Amino acid sequence: ASTPIAAGLMLAGVSPGAVLVFLLAGPATNMATLGIVRKELGTKALVSYLVGVVGVAILFGYATNFLVDTFAINIDAQLAASNELLPPVIAWASGIALAVIIVADLWKRFSPKQEKTSCCS
């Protein structure tokens, strides 16, 4: 669920390292995960977990920015080319197939149920 948000941040001009930090630290620090770690391992382990996750995420964020600058990777050009990964025919066929699956599932869920009748009751 974080990937479209990250793509939007990249298109808005946020550095690739910051986006990587968001992708790494976001899911690892949600309240459910933190609650489970604290309950199962204790507060001391939770603090160590948070320091580790945040520290590694920031370290890799700086490393990502360094590598992007060192190798002169043009993020905007990469993102602009990403809409041409699939031929339009495959994109349309996939969209139609997805729509059919959704309609079939909704039909099965909300169609009136027919009661089964037995011959001998």
Side-chain angles (χ1 to χ4, degrees):
S2 300
T3 305
I5 297 170
L9 290 172
M10 293 280 288
L11 289 172
V14 176
S15 73
V19 172
L20 181 67
V21 169
F22 169 74
L23 287 172
L24 290 175
T29 57
N30 65 45
M31 292 305 290
T33 303
L34 297 179
I36 290 172
V37 170
R38 183 169 182 240
K39 180 181 174 185
E40 296 294 327
L41 303 174
T43 304
K44 191 174 183 181
L46 175 63
V47 171
S48 299
Y49 172 77
L50 285 173
V51 168
V53 167
V54 171
V56 168
I58 290 173
L59 178 72
F60 277 102
Y62 278 120
T64 300
N65 283 339
F66 174 76
L67 292 172
V68 167
D69 291 339
T70 301
F71 293 109
I73 299 171
N74 188 353
I75 300 295
D76 294 331
Q78 297 292 326
L79 288 173
S82 67
N83 64 351
E84 300 170 2
L85 294 176
L86 288 176
V89 173
I90 294 176
W92 277 97
S94 301
I96 291 169
L98 181 62
V100 168
I101 292 169
I102 290 172
V103 168
D105 182 59
L106 290 174
W107 181 264
K108 187 167 51 169
R109 287 183 190 210
F110 297 114
S111 66
K113 306 278 190 245
Q114 294 180 357
E115 293 187 27
K116 294 181 182 177
T117 58
S118 64
C119 65
C120 306
S121 55

